[in-house]
Amino acid sequence: MGVALTRSAQWTAAGYGTRTLEITPLNEVILKEIAMFVESFIYKHPQEAKYVFVEPLEWKTNLDPSAFESGYIVSETTVKSEEVDKDGQPLLFLSVPHIKIRSLGQLSRLLLIAKDRKLKEAQACIEANRDPVTKILGLDYNTVKEDTSTVNILDKITKDEDPESEIKMKVGMLLKQLDLHLLNHSLKHISLQICLNPTTVKNDIELLKHFSGKGEQTVLESIDYTSDYEFSNGCRAPPWRQIHGEICYVLVKPHDVETLCVTCSTEGVFLNGGKTEDEGEINYERKSEMYKDLVTFLKEKSAKFSENMSKQVSLQNLEIS
């Protein structure tokens, strides 16, 4: 789940507040799959559902204490699960609006209680716990790292002296399976959307190149891809970025502003973190709003581009007439 949330899920650009999941079709797919996995966990894996997390998952819930019934001790502003750990601490504790959950069984029950609000609860949990696997299994089993494999996770757990290591191992394996499932599901979702978009983006870039160069009447000084290699699907972004729907990256030099490093994706066009001078790598983090296409983006960023683009359109209309 860690790699999928880092690589597949689409997050808002960093600002003053906490980053949140964007409202996109892909994120909706990921949330539904996670909710389905968690909701059925207590029935499919009753033993593993009792495993107590290393750290609780914490977030602000919209659920009211009155939604909790049998199996819980409820007051006007708090809820405690009757299910406790070996030290007698509840595995679910709610003090409105803050909730703490320490087992997949209680997480499963919460989504069942949430009913039609379960996706909102799942989203709030994910946004507040960006690396849930570390909280569930511990720091040594962090799945955000790219090189972490099921074998590595299971090897660490089997060497653990914890008497519950067997259940912990099964939980680790189930979470890894979910991670792979989410990544594969995301790739299928992207593959359905990406077939036509690279052609459209390529045509836009070629058109802008045609009207770029030296001289005050050109729309841009230059526009160039950051990579010369084009994959068979028309994308120039590396495969692990294509899973985000990213198609290519271009360096654009308008007449009146500094060079812009731009990401073109299936969702639209946005300013990224730029290209590093030392290693020449792209900082993929989104630094602007999303625009519907490259021309709309550049009109917003460069007054000169907008002015000259209008002139070019007018000239073409005159030639046609």
Side-chain angles (χ1 to χ4, degrees):
M1 187 158 56
V3 175
L5 291 179
T6 304
R7 299 266 177 176
S8 302
Q10 297 158 324
W11 298 85
T12 57
Y16 293 106
T18 306
R19 293 179 71 192
T20 58
L21 288 169
E22 292 182 346
I23 302 170
T24 67
L26 177 56
N27 280 349
E28 188 175 347
V29 167
I30 291 171
L31 281 172
K32 284 180 178 178
E33 290 299 315
I34 291 173
M36 197 182 303
F37 170 84
V38 173
E39 200 172 20
S40 63
F41 198 90
I42 195 168
Y43 303 113
K44 290 184 176 179
H45 312 286
Q47 285 300 114
E48 291 77 11
K50 296 175 183 176
Y51 167 75
V52 179
F53 300 164
V54 174
E55 293 180 48
L57 297 178
E58 305 179 44
W59 71 95
K60 287 184 179 180
T61 181
N62 288 315
L63 293 179
D64 191 83
S66 61
F68 295 80
E69 296 176 352
S70 61
Y72 298 94
I73 302 165
V74 182
S75 74
E76 192 175 334
T77 58
T78 65
V79 176
K80 293 181 183 179
S81 63
E82 291 178 355
E83 187 181 17
V84 295
D85 64 12
K86 60 185 179 182
D87 298 320
Q89 296 299 312
L91 298 184
L92 179 148
F93 179 71
L94 166 63
S95 178
V96 178
H98 302 282
I99 191 166
K100 295 182 180 181
I101 289 184
R102 300 170 58 219
S103 77
L104 282 162
Q106 285 298 327
L107 198 58
S108 182
R109 286 191 180 95
L110 180 89
L111 292 191
L112 291 167
I113 290 167
K115 296 178 182 177
D116 59 344
R117 290 177 288 176
K118 63 187 176 185
L119 292 184
K120 287 289 184 184
E121 286 299 314
Q123 181 175 347
C125 177
I126 289 165
E127 289 175 347
N129 302 275
R130 291 291 299 276
D131 187 8
V133 177
T134 295
K135 290 192 171 184
I136 294 169
L137 298 174
L139 193 59
D140 289 341
Y141 317 115
N142 184 348
T143 57
V144 170
K145 296 176 182 176
E146 287 179 51
D147 59 352
T148 303
S149 66
T150 306
V151 175
N152 290 340
I153 289 172
L154 299 186
D155 183 54
K156 287 173 182 175
I157 295 174
T158 50
K159 288 177 181 177
D160 200 330
E161 296 179 1
D162 187 340
E164 295 183 347
S165 61
E166 186 177 347
I167 291 179
K168 194 174 188 179
M169 178 179 71
K170 289 178 181 177
V171 171
M173 194 159 61
L174 289 167
L175 291 175
K176 191 63 183 179
Q177 287 171 2
L178 171 63
D179 205 34
L180 294 172
H181 172 73
L182 291 175
L183 287 169
N184 289 331
H185 218 71
S186 300
L187 280 169
K188 286 178 184 177
H189 180 82
I190 292 299
S191 68
L192 293 173
Q193 296 185 325
I194 207 167
C195 54
L196 296 176
N197 291 334
T199 302
T200 304
V201 170
K202 187 175 184 178
N203 290 342
D204 285 350
I205 292 170
E206 292 305 315
L207 182 65
L208 290 173
K209 278 187 174 183
H210 180 72
F211 292 109
S212 297
K214 294 181 179 179
E216 291 184 1
Q217 299 306 312
T218 59
V219 296
L220 297 166
E221 287 186 15
S222 63
I223 178 168
D224 297 291
Y225 291 107
T226 60
S227 171
D228 293 328
Y229 184 79
E230 185 176 311
F231 290 92
S232 59
N233 63 358
C235 295
R236 293 173 188 252
W240 65 274
R241 295 305 301 180
Q242 288 183 37
I243 199 171
H244 292 266
E246 293 178 9
I247 296 168
C248 66
Y249 314 100
V250 287
L251 291 172
V252 184
K253 181 62 183 79
H255 289 288
D256 52 349
V257 295
E258 294 299 313
T259 300
L260 306 170
C261 192
V262 183
T263 297
C264 299
S265 75
T266 58
E267 300 274 336
V269 174
F270 59 88
L271 185 71
N272 59 45
K275 196 172 183 181
T276 60
E277 294 183 8
D278 297 336
E279 300 177 2
E281 294 184 355
I282 302 293
N283 176 352
Y284 301 107
E285 187 173 1
R286 183 155 70 89
K287 298 291 186 180
S288 76
E289 293 179 21
M290 188 81 74
Y291 296 85
K292 66 175 185 176
D293 54 40
L294 196 51
V295 171
T296 305
F297 169 85
L298 289 170
K299 281 183 176 179
E300 182 68 25
K301 299 296 179 183
S302 167
K304 193 69 177 176
F305 172 85
S306 184
E307 178 188 339
N308 287 358
M309 195 70 184
S310 297
K311 290 178 182 177
Q312 290 291 347
V313 171
S314 298
L315 284 171
Q316 286 184 56
N317 290 338
L318 284 171
E319 289 174 3
I320 291 169
S321 61

